[in-house]
Amino acid sequence: MHSSSTSGARLCLNSLTSSLSLKILAFSTLLFPFHSINASKSFQYDSVVSGKQLTVVSVESSTTVFKDGSHQHGFGYDLARNYANSLNVKLVFKTVPDNATALKWVSQGKANFAMTTAKISEIEQKRLTSFSATCGDISSLQQNGLNTKLNWVFRHADDPLTQTASGFVCKGKQSGAIRQLASFYNQNVVQEHSWDSIQRDLNQRMPIYKASFKNTAAKYDLDWHLLAAIGYQESYLKPNSVSPTGVRGLMMLTNSTARAMGVSNRTDPAQSIEGGAKYYDQMLSRYSDVPLPDRNWYALVAYNMGPGAVNQIQKRIQAQGKNPNNWVNLYSYLDRNKASNGRYRQAVQYVTRIRAYLEHIKTSELVNI
């Protein structure tokens, strides 16, 4: 363990309804209850709110969603999850093989909306309506290596579900939440030319320690890919690694943490992996109030900075009137203050790199590791 170690803007709607009338209608939803607008028509908004469930469909990609065991995360997934939270409903996120299937699901009512990179002409042919997933803020996606053509596609433009979603996204653009979320899922966090070197490291060293990662992860009910990603970030999977501050071993444990975890020899790979897994599991338990998969990111920051530092940040977030158990809020705080605080800068780099390594290890395993 290193001791220093996601309405007022213009809606990008494409539908048979004119943009001006949509703006007027969207504004009217702020003044009148949703059910008073065209009450004779059945809206998906009503079924979502009454059923307490929002169903979203997407093609799996580095921009939308990544499956991590039984959990999902990704820029698109987290954005949709935050919208569902704003409605106080549960998110059901489905993946399909292609954009055509996703659009078909929306047309058939099998999903409340789709997250796609389909061409606007394809969306209009289905008589569906769409808007930019970033309220037109493509620079946030572009600079983080994410697909700038990501849109949210709905069945009807005049459905309050469409209007609240577009308002939510544009509010996120204005507040900076979109930029923060894209920053965490930055696909350029590791330079493209570095992946060849990383893969060589993994090919050479992962086979030696894979069994230890797997066995130890099973003991603590963890994902071994995540443990391996932590190990790679800490030491590049080198058991004799040592830092100027005195942390050492494959999982780079401090002397005090090693003793607390029952590790007598920090340079022994099996002991180091065991100690790192045990400590990470303890961090997960400390943040049991944080929903998964966000709990993983909290635990990683605590693994890097110590839980005391994370708890202090949570108190500051709460004092600002924000949810201290929301990862976007914690990450945003770290990212905003990283210029003046070296520990925050290192924590941001630490968790974003581990997320990138996790995705790489999991997706490359079938072929290379």
Side-chain angles (χ1 to χ4, degrees):
M1 177 180 62
H2 290 306
S3 61
S4 62
S5 323
T6 57
S7 299
R10 183 162 60 95
L11 305 182
C12 302
L13 291 165
N14 299 282
S15 72
L16 300 178
T17 309
S18 71
S19 61
L20 178 60
S21 64
L22 277 172
K23 289 177 182 176
I24 294 172
L25 186 56
F27 178 71
S28 73
T29 63
L30 301 176
L31 305 177
F32 304 103
F34 289 129
H35 58 73
S36 69
I37 304 172
N38 198 359
S40 63
K41 187 172 181 178
S42 176
F43 286 128
Q44 290 208 44
Y45 178 88
D46 300 324
S47 61
V48 167
V49 173
S50 62
K52 294 287 184 181
Q53 180 171 298
L54 177 72
T55 302
V56 180
V57 63
S58 178
V59 177
E60 188 172 348
S61 75
S62 59
T63 298
T64 53
V65 64
F66 174 78
K67 292 181 180 179
D68 174 16
S70 59
H71 304 294
Q72 295 169 305
H73 62 84
F75 171 79
Y77 173 83
D78 277 2
L79 191 60
R81 182 164 60 110
N82 290 337
Y83 172 52
N85 288 340
S86 75
L87 297 176
N88 195 29
V89 300
K90 174 187 176 183
L91 174 66
V92 176
F93 201 98
K94 303 285 189 179
T95 57
V96 290
D98 50 56
N99 285 324
T101 304
L103 296 180
K104 185 176 180 181
W105 277 35
V106 175
S107 294
Q108 295 176 342
K110 294 173 65 176
N112 300 120
F113 75 87
M115 194 174 295
T116 82
T117 55
K119 294 179 180 179
I120 298 302
S121 58
E122 296 173 7
I123 296 171
E124 292 178 339
Q125 284 174 5
K126 294 282 187 180
R127 294 183 175 273
L128 301 173
T129 186
S130 69
F131 58 83
S132 164
T134 59
C135 194
D137 183 18
I138 63 172
S139 64
S140 289
L141 298 181
Q142 193 170 41
Q143 66 188 12
N144 289 295
L146 301 172
N147 195 319
T148 60
K149 297 179 181 178
L150 187 65
N151 289 306
W152 282 13
V153 182
F154 291 78
R155 195 170 186 180
H156 300 295
D158 59 347
D159 192 321
L161 188 70
T162 311
Q163 297 159 12
T164 56
S166 135
F168 170 83
V169 166
C170 288
K171 182 179 178 182
K173 173 188 175 181
Q174 294 171 336
S175 69
I178 294 286
R179 182 184 63 81
Q180 294 289 346
L181 190 60
S183 174
F184 176 60
Y185 286 106
N186 186 356
Q187 297 300 305
N188 303 324
V189 66
V190 178
Q191 294 300 316
E192 191 65 33
H193 66 269
S194 298
W195 283 118
D196 289 340
S197 175
I198 291 168
Q199 190 61 54
R200 281 196 299 271
D201 289 345
L202 293 175
N203 287 339
Q204 291 171 5
R205 299 168 195 155
M206 186 67 81
I208 303 172
Y209 308 115
K210 185 174 180 179
S212 287
F213 280 124
K214 281 188 152 185
N215 294 335
T216 306
K219 179 178 178 180
Y220 292 98
D221 195 24
L222 302 173
D223 182 353
W224 78 265
H225 303 90
L226 180 56
L227 274 188
I230 297 172
Y232 189 80
Q233 167 63 23
E234 293 286 1
S235 69
Y236 302 113
L237 302 183
K238 295 179 179 179
N240 294 318
S241 294
V242 60
S243 82
T245 56
V247 294
R248 66 173 61 231
L250 195 148
M251 301 298 280
M252 295 297 272
L253 304 174
T254 64
N255 202 18
S256 59
T257 299
R259 284 198 304 268
M261 298 301 109
V263 175
S264 59
N265 181 1
R266 287 185 288 168
T267 60
D268 178 84
Q271 284 195 46
S272 186
I273 292 171
E274 169 77 22
K278 185 176 181 179
Y279 186 68
Y280 178 72
D281 186 56
Q282 289 184 6
M283 294 304 98
L284 282 174
S285 297
R286 281 189 81 113
Y287 300 101
S288 58
D289 290 341
V290 178
L292 290 165
D294 291 4
R295 192 183 308 165
N296 286 312
W297 316 136
Y298 274 73
L300 284 174
V301 175
Y303 189 103
N304 176 252
M305 295 178 62
V310 176
N311 295 345
Q312 285 297 318
I313 295 172
Q314 285 183 297
K315 289 178 182 177
R316 292 170 193 156
I317 292 172
Q318 192 164 28
Q320 295 172 353
K322 299 177 182 178
N323 182 359
N325 293 336
N326 183 302
W327 169 244
V328 171
N329 294 338
L330 180 66
Y331 180 81
S332 177
Y333 186 93
L334 292 170
D335 195 49
R336 282 199 319 270
N337 295 283
K338 65 183 180 183
S340 59
N341 190 313
R343 294 182 70 198
Y344 293 173
R345 184 176 62 254
Q346 289 164 355
V348 167
Q349 184 183 66
Y350 184 82
V351 70
T352 52
R353 282 181 174 269
I354 288 177
R355 185 222 22 104
Y357 295 149
L358 167 63
E359 294 182 11
H360 182 76
I361 291 171
K362 192 176 281 284
T363 55
S364 64
E365 182 193 4
L366 295 177
V367 179
N368 297 301
I369 300 174

